[in-house]
Every structure is written in structure tokens, then in C-alpha cells.
Amino acid sequence: EPEVTQTPSHQVTQMGQEVILRCVPISNHLYFYWYRQILGQKVEFLVSFYNNEISEKSEIFDDQFSVERPDGSNFTLKIRSTKLEDSAMYFCASSGDRLASGANVLTFGAGSRLTVL
Amino acid sequence: GENVEQHPSTLSVQEGDSAVIKCTYSDSASNYFPWYKQELGKRPQLIIDIRSNVGEKKDQRIAVTLNKTAKHFSLHITETQPEDSAVYFCAAEYGNKLVFGAGTILRVKS
């Protein structure tokens, strides 16, 4: 079964440092997402990406965050200057053609746990 | 606003009993409502979903019902087993994204 893969699985960083989280979405999917989950809390939307641009972002996704699809397979989330409150599990997700499926059926990656000290 | 309310926050049932988790959403334009199961330290995994053109969908021991007029939907698990213990999240599609409920911790006691 096709999977969304994420690296690293766990990253520890110092406050103020830049972090890049990487994702390889399912190969024929067109829509890409980043969500985050602070320990014990719900899954929160950060950003959606389609056709090489951001289609929607939440208020969490401020100027410290950026996303990029540098090639045909990777989808990255960059946090420029990490804060303590950025500590969370970051999930990448992808979905296929909305017109065909009629909905955003998301497949999640295993997550990247970010710990900011 | 874009909101999904989920209840209860925790639910303990005896093995073999049924479990029901309820969610409400705020935007009548939402048309897609998935349920995800998340085991400790793992990714959310889709277990069932429903689109607004149907009122109920069933997959073995799991069923979901949708009331579009009232803007609520429910997950029903029958004959619960210990391996059903997990956190369950409902979600509703708002525009280009899914908005999740706060989650329900389900404990099935054997």
C-alpha cells in the first residue's frame, strides 16, 4: 500500500535554530498538507499546497514557517527560528484528485517529532 | 468559524459493548466527514468516512451516521475489542483542509 514517508522521525533542536522537516507524498497525489499535534492535543491544520503554491494556511502558519516542493517528490516544511512552543509532532499528508474522489481523503505520514530546547 | 466539537473526551466501555462518539460542525457547506484512529505515538489512520449525499455508512463493526440538517455525525463501534482502544478523531472538510475534533480516548476493558 502506498505510504507518505517523513524524515526525520525525531529532531531535537535549540531555540532559535532553523529546522527542515521532509516529506515524500504518495506519488500520484496532487494535494499536500502539513498538520501538527502538540502532545495530548488535537491535530491542527497548518498549510495546504496544490499546483506548486499554498492554497490555504492557518493562523499558526506565520512568517516563521514556509513550505516548498523543491523537486517532483519532496515536500518540505521549514521553521526559520524555532520557539519552545513549536515542539510538537508534525504530520505530512497527501490526497489525490479531489474531482475524482469528491473529497480530500488524506493519508498521513508517520510524523516527525520536533523537540525545541 | 471553522469548528468541530467532539464528545465525549474519554469513553470507557466493557469489551463487547458498543461505543458511540459524536461530533458537530459549524459550516453547512462541509460535505465530507472522516474518522481517524490514532494509537499511541502513531499516525492518524482513516477508519471510515461519509459524504453528505448519504446518511449512514457501515463497515463491519464500525458505522457512521450523518445528520446534515443538525450538522452532526457519529461513530458507532459495536462488539468492542481491546484493540479498539485508541484516540478517535472526527473531522470535517472546510475548503481545502480537514478540521479535526479534539479527540476521544476510548478504553475497552476486558
Side-chain angles (χ1 to χ4, degrees):
Chain A
E1 187 173 336
E3 280 193 345
V4 175
T5 57
Q6 289 186 243
T7 55
S9 57
H10 189 193
Q11 180 154 359
V12 181
T13 190
Q14 294 291 324
M15 191 170 54
Q17 294 297 302
E18 177 183 283
V19 160
I20 298 176
L21 305 179
R22 292 182 169 80
C23 170
V24 179
I26 293 173
S27 61
N28 62 346
H29 280 185
L30 301 175
Y31 299 82
F32 315 117
Y33 309 84
W34 284 100
Y35 284 80
R36 79 169 186 193
Q37 186 177 33
I38 295 170
L39 188 63
Q41 297 186 23
K42 70 175 175 182
V43 179
E44 299 178 288
F45 170 76
L46 293 179
V47 64
S48 59
F49 193 87
Y50 171 71
N51 201 25
N52 286 319
E53 62 182 22
I54 291 173
S55 50
E56 192 166 351
K57 60 184 180 179
S58 72
E59 54 196 31
I60 301 169
F61 194 89
D62 61 21
D63 292 345
Q64 292 301 310
F65 290 87
S66 62
V67 289
E68 195 175 36
R69 188 155 163 82
D71 53 42
S73 59
N74 289 285
F75 179 52
T76 62
L77 175 69
K78 182 194 290 188
I79 309 174
R80 287 190 186 81
S81 177
T82 50
K83 303 186 285 287
L84 296 176
E85 53 265 38
D86 293 329
S87 294
M89 180 74 93
Y90 288 81
F91 289 105
C92 175
S94 67
S95 69
D97 185 349
R98 294 189 77 233
L99 294 178
S101 69
N104 273 332
V105 181
L106 267 60
T107 301
F108 283 88
S112 292
R113 181 168 298 285
L114 176 64
T115 302
V116 182
L117 303 176
Chain B
E2 298 170 341
N3 200 30
V4 177
E5 298 286 337
Q6 182 171 348
H7 301 281
S9 56
T10 61
L11 178 60
S12 289
V13 299
Q14 204 65 36
E15 182 178 359
D17 287 351
S18 294
V20 180
I21 303 170
K22 298 182 179 182
C23 288
T24 59
Y25 60 98
S26 55
D27 188 352
S28 56
S30 295
N31 285 312
Y32 175 63
F33 309 93
W35 286 88
Y36 284 83
K37 175 183 180 183
Q38 187 179 33
E39 296 175 353
L40 191 62
K42 300 208 174 162
R43 77 188 81 189
Q45 293 205 298
L46 180 69
I47 55 171
I48 195 166
D49 56 14
I50 191 167
R51 291 168 176 76
S52 60
N53 56 344
V54 298
E56 185 173 357
K57 183 177 176 181
K58 193 172 181 182
D59 183 2
Q60 299 182 350
R61 296 187 296 108
I62 296 173
V64 57
T65 58
L66 171 65
N67 182 329
K68 279 225 78 178
T69 304
K71 295 203 280 284
H72 66 70
F73 57 112
S74 301
L75 177 72
H76 305 251
I77 306 174
T78 58
E79 300 170 33
T80 52
Q81 299 165 5
E83 52 265 38
D84 294 331
S85 295
V87 182
Y88 290 81
F89 291 97
C90 64
E93 186 179 42
Y94 286 89
N96 293 312
K97 64 187 181 292
L98 292 180
V99 175
F100 286 80
T104 297
I105 300 171
L106 175 64
R107 296 192 185 93
V108 180
K109 297 175 285 187
S110 54

